[in-house]
Amino acid sequence: MNGDHLRKYINEVKIDHFSEGTKVFSEGEDCNGKMFFVFAGGLQVFKRKASGEDHYVRDIKPGEFFGEMALVFPSPRAATVVASAEDTKVGVITKEIFLSMGKESPGFLSVILHSIINRLTSVEDTISERQQELHILINGMPSLQVVPVTTETVTSNEDKAQDSPKLEEKD
């Protein structure tokens, strides 16, 4: 993308300012077809746990973008993003600007795609780690251990029951 094209798009990008603690957007709200680019300051990403409490996910620094899934796969926002520094400056990139930039520079789309793939890979890794932790927890708890039932174990249990002394009934 040459300098003239870049200036054209920079002029079209609206700049929003957020003070520390201000939400850019909340998990579950409409994505409104916008992604964001951080010019200055910093942001933090949070996901809501089943308990309702927010769980810190990551920081977003100047030069990074976020919310790009809104342009690729319109669905409710997957996380809450909050400014973590005073006067955080964020550029708002609409779907129209995004598509125009993509036509002018396929490399721009490659950067977006690379980011999405990295985040999805990170999510898959986290899911795999949690599955392993859950497996360890379940298999480490005697009351939840799964004992495979075979004809041999059933026969063995019947033999044990027959060998044990019977309690006499009182009249």
Side-chain angles (χ1 to χ4, degrees), residues 91-148:
V92 180
I93 301 172
T94 63
K95 189 166 191 162
E96 294 75 32
I97 294 172
F98 173 79
L99 293 174
S100 296
M101 288 175 77
K103 285 179 186 174
E104 293 285 335
S105 174
F108 170 73
L109 295 177
S110 177
V111 169
I112 301 291
L113 182 60
H114 182 63
S115 171
I116 292 171
I117 289 169
N118 281 342
R119 288 192 197 150
L120 289 175
T121 301
S122 175
V123 167
E124 287 176 343
D125 290 346
T126 300
I127 289 171
S128 179
E129 290 169 7
R130 296 301 177 262
Q131 285 176 327
Q132 289 175 351
E133 290 170 3
L134 187 59
H135 178 76
I136 290 168
L137 283 172
I138 289 172
N139 289 326
M141 298 176 76
S143 62
L144 296 178
Q145 287 181 347
V146 178
V147 178

Side-chain angles (χ1 to χ4, degrees), residues 8-62:
K8 172 187 164 189
Y9 296 117
I10 288 176
N11 289 335
E12 291 180 21
V13 171
K14 177 184 166 207
I15 306 295
D16 283 343
H17 297 258
F18 297 93
S19 57
E20 187 173 1
T22 305
K23 287 182 184 178
V24 176
F25 56 74
S26 296
E27 181 175 347
E29 75 181 39
D30 182 41
C31 69
N32 65 11
K34 296 176 183 174
M35 68 175 274
F36 304 87
F37 179 85
V38 183
F39 287 104
L43 300 121
Q44 292 183 322
V45 180
F46 296 91
K47 286 283 293 172
R48 193 174 309 118
K49 291 182 177 182
S51 65
E53 102 183 63
D54 287 336
H55 170 73
Y56 168 80
V57 177
R58 69 183 188 97
D59 288 317
I60 304 172
K61 299 176 182 129

